[in-house]
Amino acid sequence: MELKEKLLSSFMAFEEQVDVHSELHDLRTLAIKNFENKGFPTKKEESWKYTSLNAILKNDFTVFPKHENSIEFKDVKKYFIHEIDTFKVVFIDGVFSSNLSSTTHEGLDICLMSSALNKPKYKMVIDTYFNKIASKDESLTSLNTAFANEGAYINIPKSKVVNKPIEIMYFSTGTEAALMVQPRNLVIVGENSHVQIIERHQSLNENPVLTNSVTEIFAQKRAIVDYYKIQNDNHEANLIDNTYVSQKQESHVSVQTFSFGGNLTRNNLNFYHFGERLTSTLNGITIIGGKQHVDHYTLVHHATPNCESFQDYKGIFSDNSTGVFNGKIFVEKEAQKTNAFQKSNNILLGNKSTINAKPQLEIFADDVKCSHGCTVGQLDETALFYMQQRGIPKKEAKALLMYAFSNAVIESIKIPELKQRITKIIANKLGVKIGFDL
């Protein structure tokens, strides 16, 4: 049975297992109908022109894991930012792990989507925010909405500075021969509040995994949200990450994506503006080799005046790897005084490595500062020769040049321990020896 048919046939059985009110039932039904009509995206769609899911969909994925799995913290400790204290929300094969999680808090509402979706005390919040900014047309987002049940629910109240980062971790044990999981996250950050969130998906063996994740982030007036995505999974892991961000007046939201591992990774990142004098920041570093494939698809929708957005994506591609960057800045007629900047810089290290870049500007306002740029090239041979002349071996010289290339994004990380972790992962990817495996 093909995966699409398996998902459609599983939908009714899934709905019987969850205690939902009628509004959510209707929402799920509309979402599964949209997926049924559209199916999985293909290269015939312009936004998926350079990314094919065909090879992945041939796997016989288990939609719901049959076994309960438990792992110990010592087995996965290295994947956490254990140098500092954090709130931890941990899932194993799509199921919440109370043993590995640490959500004790004062004045915060950190719980599970399954609780938020099904308990009456959360109804008002769910009615206000759930599925309000996520696309109703995109087929994979609709598929996630139809099966939405588990994930992280984070609601930061007004005027609250969260005193430590929140880590959202999704582990796949590999008990199933092939597994598909669909986590759903909802993050609401109140007026004048500040939160830092780190998200990671990690397989613990080489069995194929397909993760179709959706995250909705709502930043209220003057809220500050720093969201970090670490993508350094095994070579049989596939991730489709759909993130939707709603910003209100004077808010600052930064989403930084670090793509190093996995077989195929697709990041759909969408920012929508609903207030003036706000700032959106989208940064990314991609370093891949072999036959890895990473696709960044970004949209910043400027709909209000006096707002700023900044996009800075760096890519280093070796062997037969493929990168895609499709970034769009859309400026409405009302969005005067917009300042929007986008750039994608890429280095090809292999003769067969590829980058497909398509920066886009669509502007209907006449008083704006908007720019975009894209570069594709190789390492500067003159700089490499200069460093070798001063006694730096060629391998280390290449690593230093590539690290310098990525440094602007690295320096924007606001959590020192996370910056150190990313630096070590990059060092590993560039072939520089460090003390432990990441």
Side-chain angles (χ1 to χ4, degrees), residues 291-336:
K291 295 183 179 180
Q292 290 178 280
H293 182 105
V294 172
D295 183 345
H296 295 286
Y297 188 93
T298 70
L299 167 67
V300 180
H301 190 139
H302 287 267
T304 50
N306 303 301
C307 295
E308 298 182 319
S309 68
F310 304 95
Q311 300 184 55
D312 189 2
Y313 282 80
K314 309 286 189 181
I316 300 175
F317 306 93
S318 59
D319 305 322
N320 295 311
S321 62
T322 303
V324 181
F325 176 78
N326 193 331
K328 184 175 183 179
I329 298 171
F330 188 94
V331 182
E332 297 275 13
K333 182 178 180 180
E334 296 77 14
Q336 303 294 342

Side-chain angles (χ1 to χ4, degrees), residues 102-116:
S102 174
T103 58
T104 303
H105 47 78
E106 295 182 4
L108 304 178
D109 196 354
I110 304 175
C111 71
L112 309 181
M113 278 301 298
S114 56
S115 297

Side-chain angles (χ1 to χ4, degrees), residues 368-402:
V368 300
K369 293 181 180 178
C370 296
S371 63
H372 64 173
C374 174
T375 62
V376 180
Q378 297 179 322
L379 288 176
D380 188 334
E381 292 295 334
T382 302
L384 194 60
F385 177 76
Y386 178 86
M387 296 172 74
Q388 289 180 271
Q389 288 293 96
R390 277 145 185 80
I392 301 175
K394 186 174 183 179
K395 181 179 179 180
E396 283 72 14
K398 283 185 174 181
L400 285 171
L401 287 176
M402 289 185 285

Side-chain angles (χ1 to χ4, degrees), residues 89-91 94 110-114 116-117 126 129-134 144-145 148-155 166-170 182-188 197-201 211-218 227-229 239-245:
V89 188
V90 183
F91 302 87
I110 304 175
C111 71
L112 309 181
M113 278 301 298
S114 56
L117 291 173
I126 292 300
Y129 294 103
F130 179 74
N131 206 49
K132 292 301 186 290
I133 196 67
N144 179 284
T145 299
N149 185 49
E150 200 58 282
Y153 170 89
I154 300 171
N155 191 353
I166 300 171
E167 289 188 272
I168 307 173
M169 304 290 285
Y170 291 94
Q182 300 196 76
R184 182 68 172 239
N185 303 315
L186 178 61
V187 179
I188 306 159
I197 300 174
I198 303 166
E199 177 187 316
R200 182 165 184 168
H201 301 262
T211 300
N212 178 37
S213 175
V214 172
T215 300
E216 293 180 283
I217 302 172
F218 293 86
Y227 206 106
Y228 302 94
K229 296 176 180 288
L239 172 64
I240 301 168
D241 186 274
N242 306 280
T243 301
Y244 301 89
V245 181

Side-chain angles (χ1 to χ4, degrees), residues 9-232:
S9 63
S10 302
F11 177 70
M12 290 185 64
F14 166 76
E15 278 236 293
E16 291 176 359
Q17 297 174 6
V18 291
D19 181 19
V20 296
H21 51 76
S22 60
E23 293 91 337
L24 195 55
H25 168 77
D26 294 341
L27 192 68
R28 293 184 193 278
T29 302
L30 288 173
I32 199 66
K33 285 182 178 178
N34 184 58
F35 173 73
E36 183 178 12
N37 292 333
K38 294 190 174 182
F40 287 96
T42 69
K43 296 180 75 171
K44 293 181 180 180
E45 300 176 36
E46 183 64 26
S47 60
W48 286 81
K49 183 177 180 180
Y50 301 108
T51 299
S52 173
L53 299 178
N54 290 343
I56 298 169
L57 299 180
K58 291 178 181 178
N59 290 292
D60 185 18
F61 288 108
T62 297
V63 178
F64 306 112
K66 301 180 180 65
H67 307 286
E68 292 186 6
N69 297 289
S70 61
I71 53 179
E72 297 183 19
F73 182 72
K74 63 180 178 63
D75 299 323
V76 295
K77 179 181 178 180
K78 66 180 181 178
Y79 300 116
F80 292 91
I81 311 299
H82 50 78
E83 297 87 353
I84 55 174
D85 189 22
T86 62
F87 297 113
K88 298 177 179 63
V89 188
V90 183
F91 302 87
I92 302 174
D93 291 340
V95 179
F96 177 68
S97 170
S98 57
N99 293 332
L100 296 181
S101 298
S102 174
T103 58
T104 303
H105 47 78
E106 295 182 4
L108 304 178
D109 196 354
I110 304 175
C111 71
L112 309 181
M113 278 301 298
S114 56
S115 297
L117 291 173
N118 298 313
K119 291 186 177 180
K121 74 173 185 176
Y122 294 104
K123 184 180 186 305
M124 183 178 295
V125 177
I126 292 300
D127 288 346
T128 303
Y129 294 103
F130 179 74
N131 206 49
K132 292 301 186 290
I133 196 67
S135 172
K136 309 299 187 298
D137 297 321
E138 206 281 326
S139 64
L140 291 176
T141 298
S142 294
L143 176 62
N144 179 284
T145 299
F147 287 92
N149 185 49
E150 200 58 282
Y153 170 89
I154 300 171
N155 191 353
I156 309 301
K158 183 178 179 180
S159 302
K160 178 71 175 181
V161 177
V162 183
N163 60 2
K164 53 187 179 181
I166 300 171
E167 289 188 272
I168 307 173
M169 304 290 285
Y170 291 94
F171 293 109
S172 299
T173 61
T175 303
E176 307 288 345
L179 177 66
M180 181 179 184
V181 290
Q182 300 196 76
R184 182 68 172 239
N185 303 315
L186 178 61
V187 179
I188 306 159
V189 185
E191 291 185 23
N192 303 307
S193 294
H194 182 192
V195 66
Q196 296 174 319
I197 300 174
I198 303 166
E199 177 187 316
R200 182 165 184 168
H201 301 262
Q202 187 64 49
S203 302
L204 302 180
N205 73 5
E206 297 297 332
N207 284 352
V209 176
L210 173 58
T211 300
N212 178 37
S213 175
V214 172
T215 300
E216 293 180 283
I217 302 172
F218 293 86
Q220 308 295 3
K221 294 180 180 179
R222 295 175 295 280
I224 301 174
V225 182
D226 298 317
Y227 206 106
Y228 302 94
K229 296 176 180 288
I230 304 176
Q231 300 170 347
N232 192 32

